Amino acid sequence: MPFGGGNKCGCCQKTVYFAEEVQCEGKSFHKSCFLCMVCKKNLDSTTVAVHVDEIYCKSCYGKKYGPKGYGFGGGAGTLSMDTGESLGIKPQQQASHRPTNNPNPSKFAQKMGGSEVCPRCGTAVYAAEKVVGGGNAWHKSCFRCAKCGKGLESTTLADKDGEIYCKGCYAKNFGPKGFGFGQGAGALAHSQ
C-alpha cells in the first residue's frame, strides 16, 4: 500500500480507501469505478470478465473477444447484423464470392506439389486451413455455397458435379419440382 492512503484505482488512478474498495485480478477499484468499459453496467465478482487491464461484463466481453460466426449468435436463433463497431472492433472485409471454375472435380487431378488445390480459388490448401467436403479439400474461406455464398460445414452441405451448395440452394436448384415441392401458392413448375 503506497504511503498516504490506500491503493490506486485501476480505473481513475485515485486513492481507494478500504470502505469503498473492490479487488479484481490483484487490482483495487472504487465501487463506483468497477463498471463495464463498454456498457457501464455495475460489476461484481460473478459478472466481471477481464482482458489484460480492461474489465467488462460477460456479455460485452463475449461480443468483443468471444467466438464469431455461425452458432454464436444473439440467442433464440436470431441473426444479428451488428459488426461490433461500437465495441471498437473493425469489421472484416469479406472476399468476393467466386464459384468454382475447376472443370475437373477429380481429387488426383488437383494435386499440386504435394499439397491439394482448392477447387474454388485454385491455390494450394495447407493443413492449417484445410476443410474436407464433397470429396475435395477447400480453404476455410472458400468452403461456401456456390449459389448464395453461405458458409458451410461438412454436415450442412450437398455436392453436385464437384461443386458444393447449402441444403436450401441445392433443393431449389436440383431438387424435385412441381406441386407439393415448395414452389408456393400451388403453382406447378412446367419444365421441358
Side-chain angles (χ1 to χ4, degrees):
M1 194 175 336
F3 183 72
N7 296 323
K8 297 292 181 195
C9 176
C11 186
C12 71
Q13 304 304 315
K14 294 181 181 173
T15 302
V16 181
Y17 296 100
F18 183 74
E20 58 184 0
E21 183 179 40
V22 177
Q23 288 195 343
C24 178
E25 299 279 316
K27 293 187 176 185
S28 296
F29 294 88
H30 294 106
K31 287 180 184 174
S32 59
C33 291
F34 199 58
L35 306 171
C36 173
M37 297 190 76
V38 176
C39 68
K40 307 297 182 205
K41 285 183 186 171
N42 287 318
L43 300 172
D44 62 36
S45 63
T46 62
T47 60
V48 70
V50 180
H51 185 79
V52 188
D53 288 334
E54 301 171 333
I55 56 174
Y56 299 94
C57 67
K58 291 191 177 190
S59 176
C60 291
Y61 179 87
K63 287 178 188 171
K64 189 163 185 174
Y65 299 108
K68 311 279 186 292
Y70 181 78
F72 298 103
T78 60
L79 294 175
S80 172
M81 298 305 285
D82 180 12
T83 60
E85 290 180 66
S86 63
L87 300 172
I89 299 170
K90 293 181 176 64
Q92 295 178 349
Q93 294 295 330
Q94 197 170 29
S96 63
H97 171 68
R98 297 185 320 205
T100 303
N101 54 7
N102 187 342
N104 189 345
S106 164
K107 267 203 295 192
F108 301 107
Q110 296 175 0
K111 291 280 185 181
M112 178 176 85
S115 63
E116 295 174 275
V117 176
C118 175
R120 177 77 30 91
C121 67
T123 60
V125 179
Y126 299 102
E129 57 189 356
K130 181 177 175 178
V131 180
V132 178
N136 292 312
W138 304 76
H139 294 109
K140 288 178 186 172
S141 58
C142 294
F143 199 61
R144 303 183 159 282
C145 175
K147 289 288 184 188
C148 69
K150 177 179 170 184
L152 299 172
E153 294 177 9
S154 60
T155 58
T156 63
L157 72 85
D159 66 311
K160 182 170 175 73
D161 300 328
E163 190 54 271
I164 56 175
Y165 303 91
C166 66
K167 301 235 181 202
C169 288
Y170 183 87
K172 262 189 247 170
N173 293 290
F174 307 111
K177 309 263 187 287
F179 182 75
F181 292 105
Q183 295 297 317
L188 289 174
H190 186 41
S191 58
Q192 301 179 347

